[in-house]
Amino acid sequence: MTITFRTETFRDDFTFRNSPAGIRRFPFPFHEDGYMYSVNIEPHRPGAPGSVFEHGFDVDEHYVAEMADRALVLAEDPLRCQALPHMDLASWDYLELVMTTKARDYPELFTLETDGDRWHWTNRPLGIDDRFTFGVTSTLPCPPLEYIGRQTQGDHCLLDQRDNNLWMDAGMVTTQADWSLDFDIGMNFFEWHAPVPLAHEMGVFQRAIKFLTSIPQGQPSRRLNWTLTVNPRLDTSPENYPKWGPDKLTVTPDTIGEKMHLRVELQTFWRLPRSNALVFPIRCYLLRFDDLVTIPKWARRMHRVIRDLPPELVTYKGMSRYHPMLVEWLAAHDDGAPTSPGIFPD
Amino acid sequence: MSSTARALAVTVADVIEVTPLVKRFEFVSTDGAPLPPFSGGAHVVVELPDGDHLRRNPYSLMSSPRDLSRYAISVRRDDGGRGGSRYLHEQVVPGMAMTISAPVNLFALDLRARKHLMIAGGIGITPFIAQIHQLSGGGAPFELHYKARSAPLAAYMDDLAARHPGAVHACCSDRGEDLDLDTLLTTQPLGTHLYVCGPERLIAGVTARAAALGWPARHVHVEHFAAPPPGLPFAVRLAASNLSITVRGEQSLLEAIEEAGVDAPYLCRGGACGQCETAVVACDGTLHHHDHWLTDAQRETGDRIMPCVSRFTGRLLTLDR
Ligand code: HEM
Ligand code: FES
């Protein structure tokens, strides 16, 4: 399958669009007509061909444009990519994981040739052709996490594992749903999750940490998380709140379909074998409400989920201001018919 | 414990007698591909068939994490043990096909350390050999103290001392040498991490002294092995489906239920999500809960089990599935 990479923006004129195929392969996150936090972790096994689960690292039509947007964010704010000194080995581990996986899964786009520690990496969509010595940072144009993060969609957190906990000691974070690497760096699993409502009391995090710290190499897991974003903006960071916060004021019944986007994160968990760290890639997918309601099952379910969302989640996900308006808009797209189980369109 | 590491098919490339009590076993992957990368301190679980019983013993990898062409473990013959080491010493020869798990590390270096202080007792030397290989690629300095009964029984001592002069110190009891633990533990630079591997008594002694001398617990690391699942087969009655099945040693209860053609719910397959929870109708034996889902109170009543990770020993387990 050849991918046609779109030329589009995630800021200013917001020319981002999904193709019809892009809409159908969107990872709709609700498997039933309601939503509450849970330990929704499952093995990250290869999924149906064409789906976002087909490969370990999904590459789609937005790849080139997303990497261009990331470059803009990094140019303005280099602190979006940080690695504490002890995370160097984990960074190389992650570079190896991405390169070997992508070269295997997308041979027409990426090639990796290795001769011992001498590596040759070709990334055709981004026009990159580099030779370097594995493990030697001075042979790369920039440090390994930044190098591979600039070539891999989604955000990337490297978690050091110590004391039966995970520590956010490195990351590349430019497409986040309102959290900050610079604020969270050095925190542990419970500390960076502190703002999340209800889940602590439900025991979600206590169970999740035990699962995560015992993930074996070669057996990644995944979960989906979601929120809503006004305009297809990737960089909704606390640092840039003044740029995107006011967008919320532009939401009216007439603009919802065009401006409101379901933002889904495909989060995966991988053991990094050389460092024993864990990597947590957070891949962000956006779907305009006008496009979402073209899939009848999703339209019905989206209405029911948003209508019945616990108030704590409405607040945490930042939709208090327009929640009633959203429910009303979505109700017009819900004919009350039953929905089938599972996330895929009928 | 949670998910089990995946299995690797290997061939025994070499068996080397290191001391009268210790043999080194070297493995290459049977398909000729490089073995998976690992970090110093990692272990593999070696499958040891013993009649119709499958033993699974963990052994630390001692080869260099930079050399993925072969893995090495060293095994001390323990005639009083459960028989795994005797099987390895007596039955395993070059050319044999074996199954080992992918590496798992429960004794990792803390890479923030300014210095690594290592104390090994006897065959507890093995994880340190891999860690020293890892550090010699340009990590913080290390200092190893190696306790053994005698110089000839101190496996790899000469080699380590020759390659790392000044950093490796032997302490042989037949020469009347003893480790001056208090001096050692009170003269380390700030930011030192302490690692201990060896007999239980050594580990307990060192960690107790370190605690008494004010070492922060987070700077003290001891070797743990994941207790491998018992690997014993057991009989299950699936009441709702009216089926009787046997769970084989190497599969999970969930896998056996699926194999019988029964559609059972699951999500994480690692004991965390709660999806596979199944009611126990009758239990003529003992449940072994390995999940992170059930509360202690729920375990005590014994009326449910998480079949993705938990097991049973006894005559018959009857489930509402
Ligand atoms: C180790 C990998 C993980 C990382 C790095 C991570 C990171 C984060 C971060 C940075 C936030 C935003 C918190 C804030 O500042 O408001 C968050 C939210 C959250 N996380 Fe995680 N997380 C991880 C794993 C998990 C797992 C395994 C679960 C549950 C099974 C989980 C459940 C949640 C939930 C429920 C939220 C709130 C999201 C929302 O409602 O939009 N996380 N996570
Ligand atoms: S499948 Fe998740 S607890 Fe068993």
Side-chain angles (χ1 to χ4, degrees), chain B residues 8-9 41 44 49 74 97 133 162 175 185 190 196-197 237 272 288 295 297 318:
Chain B
L8 306 173
V44 294
S74 281
H133 277 295
R175 301 197 293 234
L185 294 181
L190 268 181
V196 198
C197 182
R237 175 92 193 130
H288 301 285
T295 62
T318 309

PDB file of all heavy atoms in Angstrom, chain B residues 8-9 41 44 49 74 97 133 162 175 185 190 196-197 237 272 288 295 297 318:
ATOM      1  N   LEU B   8      12.349 -18.571  23.704  1.00  0.00           N
ATOM      2  CA  LEU B   8      13.357 -18.539  22.640  1.00  0.00           C
ATOM      3  C   LEU B   8      13.877 -19.959  22.429  1.00  0.00           C
ATOM      4  O   LEU B   8      14.203 -20.657  23.392  1.00  0.00           O
ATOM      5  CB  LEU B   8      14.540 -17.653  23.041  1.00  0.00           C
ATOM      6  CG  LEU B   8      14.264 -16.216  23.471  1.00  0.00           C
ATOM      7  CD1 LEU B   8      15.543 -15.567  23.982  1.00  0.00           C
ATOM      8  CD2 LEU B   8      13.703 -15.418  22.290  1.00  0.00           C
ATOM      9  N   ALA B   9      13.964 -20.362  21.174  1.00  0.00           N
ATOM     10  CA  ALA B   9      14.539 -21.672  20.865  1.00  0.00           C
ATOM     11  C   ALA B   9      16.046 -21.504  20.689  1.00  0.00           C
ATOM     12  O   ALA B   9      16.489 -20.728  19.845  1.00  0.00           O
ATOM     13  CB  ALA B   9      13.913 -22.217  19.586  1.00  0.00           C
ATOM     14  N   GLY B  41      22.345  -7.659  34.522  1.00  0.00           N
ATOM     15  CA  GLY B  41      21.509  -8.006  35.665  1.00  0.00           C
ATOM     16  C   GLY B  41      20.297  -8.833  35.267  1.00  0.00           C
ATOM     17  O   GLY B  41      19.594  -9.363  36.137  1.00  0.00           O
ATOM     18  N   VAL B  44      17.413 -15.230  32.443  1.00  0.00           N
ATOM     19  CA  VAL B  44      16.509 -15.984  31.573  1.00  0.00           C
ATOM     20  C   VAL B  44      15.989 -17.163  32.387  1.00  0.00           C
ATOM     21  O   VAL B  44      16.637 -17.600  33.341  1.00  0.00           O
ATOM     22  CB  VAL B  44      17.204 -16.514  30.291  1.00  0.00           C
ATOM     23  CG1 VAL B  44      17.616 -15.359  29.392  1.00  0.00           C
ATOM     24  CG2 VAL B  44      18.413 -17.384  30.628  1.00  0.00           C
ATOM     25  N   PRO B  49      13.371 -30.180  31.182  1.00  0.00           N
ATOM     26  CA  PRO B  49      12.433 -31.303  31.217  1.00  0.00           C
ATOM     27  C   PRO B  49      12.991 -32.394  32.120  1.00  0.00           C
ATOM     28  O   PRO B  49      14.172 -32.709  32.062  1.00  0.00           O
ATOM     29  CB  PRO B  49      12.371 -31.773  29.757  1.00  0.00           C
ATOM     30  CG  PRO B  49      13.574 -31.211  29.103  1.00  0.00           C
ATOM     31  CD  PRO B  49      14.104 -30.086  29.926  1.00  0.00           C
ATOM     32  N   SER B  74      26.137 -19.308  34.105  1.00  0.00           N
ATOM     33  CA  SER B  74      26.987 -20.230  34.850  1.00  0.00           C
ATOM     34  C   SER B  74      26.168 -20.833  35.966  1.00  0.00           C
ATOM     35  O   SER B  74      25.409 -20.132  36.636  1.00  0.00           O
ATOM     36  CB  SER B  74      28.199 -19.496  35.439  1.00  0.00           C
ATOM     37  OG  SER B  74      29.165 -19.318  34.426  1.00  0.00           O
ATOM     38  N   ALA B  97      19.075 -28.994  21.805  1.00  0.00           N
ATOM     39  CA  ALA B  97      18.087 -27.924  21.652  1.00  0.00           C
ATOM     40  C   ALA B  97      17.440 -27.663  23.002  1.00  0.00           C
ATOM     41  O   ALA B  97      17.097 -28.608  23.718  1.00  0.00           O
ATOM     42  CB  ALA B  97      17.034 -28.339  20.638  1.00  0.00           C
ATOM     43  N   HIS B 133      30.429  -5.638  32.015  1.00  0.00           N
ATOM     44  CA  HIS B 133      30.542  -5.482  30.550  1.00  0.00           C
ATOM     45  C   HIS B 133      29.789  -4.229  30.113  1.00  0.00           C
ATOM     46  O   HIS B 133      30.274  -3.442  29.306  1.00  0.00           O
ATOM     47  CB  HIS B 133      29.927  -6.684  29.834  1.00  0.00           C
ATOM     48  CG  HIS B 133      30.844  -7.867  29.718  1.00  0.00           C
ATOM     49  ND1 HIS B 133      32.008  -7.836  28.984  1.00  0.00           N
ATOM     50  CD2 HIS B 133      30.754  -9.122  30.215  1.00  0.00           C
ATOM     51  CE1 HIS B 133      32.595  -9.025  29.047  1.00  0.00           C
ATOM     52  NE2 HIS B 133      31.861  -9.820  29.795  1.00  0.00           N
ATOM     53  N   ALA B 162      42.197  -9.412  36.206  1.00  0.00           N
ATOM     54  CA  ALA B 162      43.148  -9.045  35.156  1.00  0.00           C
ATOM     55  C   ALA B 162      42.579  -7.931  34.280  1.00  0.00           C
ATOM     56  O   ALA B 162      43.300  -7.023  33.858  1.00  0.00           O
ATOM     57  CB  ALA B 162      43.469 -10.280  34.307  1.00  0.00           C
ATOM     58  N   ARG B 175      41.560 -18.176  53.291  1.00  0.00           N
ATOM     59  CA  ARG B 175      42.756 -17.385  53.608  1.00  0.00           C
ATOM     60  C   ARG B 175      42.502 -16.501  54.827  1.00  0.00           C
ATOM     61  O   ARG B 175      43.279 -15.601  55.120  1.00  0.00           O
ATOM     62  CB  ARG B 175      43.131 -16.478  52.422  1.00  0.00           C
ATOM     63  CG  ARG B 175      43.421 -17.247  51.141  1.00  0.00           C
ATOM     64  CD  ARG B 175      44.175 -16.416  50.116  1.00  0.00           C
ATOM     65  NE  ARG B 175      43.409 -15.302  49.571  1.00  0.00           N
ATOM     66  CZ  ARG B 175      43.230 -15.099  48.249  1.00  0.00           C
ATOM     67  NH1 ARG B 175      43.749 -15.926  47.365  1.00  0.00           N
ATOM     68  NH2 ARG B 175      42.540 -14.059  47.831  1.00  0.00           N
ATOM     69  N   LEU B 185      31.122   0.478  53.683  1.00  0.00           N
ATOM     70  CA  LEU B 185      29.846   1.179  53.537  1.00  0.00           C
ATOM     71  C   LEU B 185      29.894   2.616  54.057  1.00  0.00           C
ATOM     72  O   LEU B 185      29.002   3.400  53.756  1.00  0.00           O
ATOM     73  CB  LEU B 185      28.719   0.410  54.256  1.00  0.00           C
ATOM     74  CG  LEU B 185      28.372  -0.958  53.655  1.00  0.00           C
ATOM     75  CD1 LEU B 185      27.236  -1.612  54.433  1.00  0.00           C
ATOM     76  CD2 LEU B 185      27.992  -0.845  52.184  1.00  0.00           C
ATOM     77  N   LEU B 190      29.158  10.204  47.801  1.00  0.00           N
ATOM     78  CA  LEU B 190      27.721  10.475  47.644  1.00  0.00           C
ATOM     79  C   LEU B 190      27.261   9.989  46.276  1.00  0.00           C
ATOM     80  O   LEU B 190      27.989  10.109  45.304  1.00  0.00           O
ATOM     81  CB  LEU B 190      27.476  11.975  47.722  1.00  0.00           C
ATOM     82  CG  LEU B 190      27.162  12.574  49.080  1.00  0.00           C
ATOM     83  CD1 LEU B 190      26.922  14.071  48.913  1.00  0.00           C
ATOM     84  CD2 LEU B 190      25.931  11.909  49.675  1.00  0.00           C
ATOM     85  N   VAL B 196      23.856  -6.251  45.803  1.00  0.00           N
ATOM     86  CA  VAL B 196      24.278  -7.488  46.469  1.00  0.00           C
ATOM     87  C   VAL B 196      23.627  -8.679  45.792  1.00  0.00           C
ATOM     88  O   VAL B 196      22.412  -8.675  45.538  1.00  0.00           O
ATOM     89  CB  VAL B 196      23.842  -7.522  47.959  1.00  0.00           C
ATOM     90  CG1 VAL B 196      24.661  -8.556  48.709  1.00  0.00           C
ATOM     91  CG2 VAL B 196      23.974  -6.166  48.597  1.00  0.00           C
ATOM     92  N   CYS B 197      24.445  -9.692  45.521  1.00  0.00           N
ATOM     93  CA  CYS B 197      23.902 -10.934  44.971  1.00  0.00           C
ATOM     94  C   CYS B 197      24.702 -12.091  45.526  1.00  0.00           C
ATOM     95  O   CYS B 197      25.935 -12.067  45.499  1.00  0.00           O
ATOM     96  CB  CYS B 197      23.957 -10.926  43.450  1.00  0.00           C
ATOM     97  SG  CYS B 197      23.237 -12.412  42.724  1.00  0.00           S
ATOM     98  N   ARG B 237     -13.104 -28.292  35.379  1.00  0.00           N
ATOM     99  CA  ARG B 237     -14.438 -28.557  34.852  1.00  0.00           C
ATOM    100  C   ARG B 237     -15.055 -27.210  34.493  1.00  0.00           C
ATOM    101  O   ARG B 237     -15.119 -26.302  35.339  1.00  0.00           O
ATOM    102  CB  ARG B 237     -15.243 -29.252  35.957  1.00  0.00           C
ATOM    103  CG  ARG B 237     -16.673 -29.488  35.634  1.00  0.00           C
ATOM    104  CD  ARG B 237     -16.891 -30.876  35.002  1.00  0.00           C
ATOM    105  NE  ARG B 237     -18.222 -30.937  34.423  1.00  0.00           N
ATOM    106  CZ  ARG B 237     -18.491 -31.340  33.182  1.00  0.00           C
ATOM    107  NH1 ARG B 237     -17.525 -31.748  32.378  1.00  0.00           N
ATOM    108  NH2 ARG B 237     -19.722 -31.344  32.733  1.00  0.00           N
ATOM    109  N   ALA B 272      -4.438  -7.485  35.179  1.00  0.00           N
ATOM    110  CA  ALA B 272      -4.636  -6.105  35.645  1.00  0.00           C
ATOM    111  C   ALA B 272      -6.002  -5.523  35.317  1.00  0.00           C
ATOM    112  O   ALA B 272      -6.479  -4.645  36.019  1.00  0.00           O
ATOM    113  CB  ALA B 272      -3.563  -5.194  35.056  1.00  0.00           C
ATOM    114  N   HIS B 288      -4.001 -20.477  43.164  1.00  0.00           N
ATOM    115  CA  HIS B 288      -2.769 -19.676  43.233  1.00  0.00           C
ATOM    116  C   HIS B 288      -3.006 -18.385  42.463  1.00  0.00           C
ATOM    117  O   HIS B 288      -2.959 -18.362  41.234  1.00  0.00           O
ATOM    118  CB  HIS B 288      -1.592 -20.450  42.640  1.00  0.00           C
ATOM    119  CG  HIS B 288      -1.344 -21.746  43.353  1.00  0.00           C
ATOM    120  ND1 HIS B 288      -0.749 -21.814  44.588  1.00  0.00           N
ATOM    121  CD2 HIS B 288      -1.666 -23.022  43.018  1.00  0.00           C
ATOM    122  CE1 HIS B 288      -0.680 -23.072  44.986  1.00  0.00           C
ATOM    123  NE2 HIS B 288      -1.231 -23.833  44.052  1.00  0.00           N
ATOM    124  N   THR B 295      -9.009  -8.203  45.389  1.00  0.00           N
ATOM    125  CA  THR B 295      -8.569  -7.703  46.691  1.00  0.00           C
ATOM    126  C   THR B 295      -8.233  -8.902  47.585  1.00  0.00           C
ATOM    127  O   THR B 295      -8.640 -10.032  47.300  1.00  0.00           O
ATOM    128  CB  THR B 295      -9.683  -6.892  47.363  1.00  0.00           C
ATOM    129  OG1 THR B 295     -10.800  -7.771  47.570  1.00  0.00           O
ATOM    130  CG2 THR B 295     -10.121  -5.719  46.502  1.00  0.00           C
ATOM    131  N   ALA B 297      -9.460  -9.603  50.395  1.00  0.00           N
ATOM    132  CA  ALA B 297     -10.708 -10.176  50.920  1.00  0.00           C
ATOM    133  C   ALA B 297     -11.334 -11.115  49.886  1.00  0.00           C
ATOM    134  O   ALA B 297     -11.802 -12.206  50.221  1.00  0.00           O
ATOM    135  CB  ALA B 297     -11.681  -9.057  51.275  1.00  0.00           C
ATOM    136  N   THR B 318     -13.713 -26.343  39.529  1.00  0.00           N
ATOM    137  CA  THR B 318     -14.917 -26.201  38.701  1.00  0.00           C
ATOM    138  C   THR B 318     -15.256 -24.716  38.561  1.00  0.00           C
ATOM    139  O   THR B 318     -15.384 -24.003  39.556  1.00  0.00           O
ATOM    140  CB  THR B 318     -16.111 -26.961  39.325  1.00  0.00           C
ATOM    141  OG1 THR B 318     -15.686 -28.302  39.607  1.00  0.00           O
ATOM    142  CG2 THR B 318     -17.286 -26.989  38.384  1.00  0.00           C
TER     143      THR B 318
END
